[in-house]
Amino acid sequence: NAGVTQTPKFQVLKTGQSMTLQCAQDMNHEYMSWYRQDPGMGLRLIHYSVGAGITDQGEVPNGYNVSRSTTEDFPLRLLSAAPSQTSVYFCASSSGAPNTGELFFGEGSRLTVL
Amino acid sequence: GENVEQHPSTLSVQEGDSAVIKCTYSDSASNYFPWYKQELGKRPQLIIDIRSNVGEKKDQRIAVTLNKTAKHFSLHITETQPEDSAVYFCAASRPGRRALTFGSGTRLQVQP
């Protein structure tokens, strides 16, 4: 099992560019989520999904879109990158709701917006 | 919504000493409290969790305590080792809420 796989690991963008962070899991988890990690602010939830075709907003959704067409994949799209989106992004999945057990994280994607 | 506060933000101890990290939460309905460890440049990983029907849980050198009345929970690491150096995050969630709320993290440094 590869677990949760994120690509790319590093990305540099210019302000206004768009891009997609990819996330895939091979554990047949229904729940998937995206967090961003900024110094001194912990992990903040961007968007989450409880199953294919179902997504919802988290704490900091502005500037990001998601979709969930399959159980395995949960891409995060930045529509028009801004310097405030410079961060480390983590995808995470779990077999049930977050209050039922472990969240499995990907290795992270470090994004710099110039 | 839920708010989780974590203290201290940094903690330095000598190898062999104990370390304690504290978190408070705001939603009295929260019933699940995990702790994640993130080594430098790595992904967060679950190290221990506790549910609201339990007051304390231990796993070798780590333990978590929960005080529901005061709405706070703590991570205790005994006999610290250099490999315990990492950032530790507490989190909280409640039934029906489809998200974990994380604290801001504690950077623990264990000096050899």
Side-chain angles (χ1 to χ4, degrees), chain A residues 31 37 99-100 103 105 107, chain B residues 36 38 43 51 89 98:
Chain A
Y31 182 88
Q37 183 176 24
N99 68 325
T100 62
L103 264 185
F105 285 85
E107 292 185 325
Chain B
Y36 283 80
Q38 184 181 27
R43 72 188 84 191
R51 299 191 181 276
F89 293 98
R98 297 171 171 178

Side-chain angles (χ1 to χ4, degrees), chain A residues 2-4 31 35 37-38 40-45 48 50 54 56 59 90 97-108, chain B residues 2 31-32 34 36 38 41-47 49 51 87 89 92-105:
Chain A
V4 180
Y31 182 88
Y35 286 86
Q37 183 176 24
D38 302 293
M41 300 187 76
L43 293 152
R44 293 183 294 167
L45 182 65
Y48 66 91
V50 297
I54 306 169
D56 206 346
E59 183 184 353
F90 285 98
N99 68 325
T100 62
E102 182 173 1
L103 264 185
F104 292 85
F105 285 85
E107 292 185 325
Chain B
E2 175 77 274
N31 71 335
Y32 178 63
Y36 283 80
Q38 184 181 27
K42 300 290 183 63
R43 72 188 84 191
Q45 291 189 295
L46 180 71
I47 54 172
D49 58 11
R51 299 191 181 276
V87 177
F89 293 98
S93 188
R94 62 167 172 78
R97 186 158 187 275
R98 297 171 171 178
L100 277 179
T101 300
F102 284 87
S104 55

Side-chain angles (χ1 to χ4, degrees), chain A residues 33-101:
Chain A
S33 55
W34 278 101
Y35 286 86
R36 60 177 288 173
Q37 183 176 24
D38 302 293
M41 300 187 76
L43 293 152
R44 293 183 294 167
L45 182 65
I46 304 171
H47 285 285
Y48 66 91
S49 169
V50 297
I54 306 169
T55 64
D56 206 346
Q57 296 181 351
E59 183 184 353
V60 288
N62 292 343
Y64 307 95
N65 272 359
V66 292
S67 59
R68 185 92 179 271
S69 56
T70 67
T71 299
E72 294 78 20
D73 300 298
F74 191 45
L76 178 72
R77 296 183 186 84
L78 280 71
L79 308 174
S80 177
S84 60
Q85 294 179 304
T86 293
S87 188
V88 180
Y89 292 85
F90 285 98
C91 180
S93 72
S94 62
S95 57
N99 68 325
T100 62

